Amino acid sequence: IRTRREEVKAQIRQVEMNIAELQEVVREAFGELKKLEISEERRKERLKKEQEAREAKQLDEVAISQYARKQEE
């Protein structure tokens, strides 16, 4: 009985070590995922700002053209 109990305790310690190792793997994977999410969010924000800048430039060009036409009249 004593030997069986010691075997079970050893198995429990091994399982606990495996759990700790897997928790570390999950933490690292989660950290990488967050980095990727942040990078993707920044990329989307940059693309949005670039699109807004292009649209603003187009609107400015239209306004300048309209102003120039009115000045010619």
Side-chain angles (χ1 to χ4, degrees):
I1 296 176
R2 187 173 212 154
T3 304
R4 177 71 180 134
R5 184 176 294 163
E6 290 171 359
E7 288 176 8
V8 169
K9 285 182 180 180
Q11 289 174 349
I12 289 172
R13 282 192 298 273
Q14 183 62 42
V15 168
E16 288 172 343
M17 287 176 27
N18 290 345
I19 289 171
E21 290 172 5
L22 292 173
Q23 286 175 331
E24 182 60 29
V25 169
V26 169
R27 270 191 292 275
E28 290 175 9
F30 183 75
E32 287 299 312
L33 176 62
K34 292 307 280 179
K35 287 178 188 176
L36 291 172
E37 288 175 344
I38 291 169
S39 293
E40 179 65 13
E41 190 62 34
R42 288 179 180 165
R43 184 186 72 82
K44 286 180 180 178
E45 187 64 30
R46 180 178 46 81
L47 291 174
K48 180 182 173 186
K49 287 181 180 179
E50 288 173 358
Q51 179 64 28
E52 289 172 350
R54 281 191 297 273
E55 291 172 0
K57 183 177 177 183
Q58 289 173 345
L59 290 175
D60 288 346
E61 289 172 358
V62 168
I64 290 170
S65 294
Q66 288 177 345
Y67 178 78
R69 284 187 200 138
K70 286 183 181 181
Q71 294 301 317
E72 290 175 357
E73 293 175 0

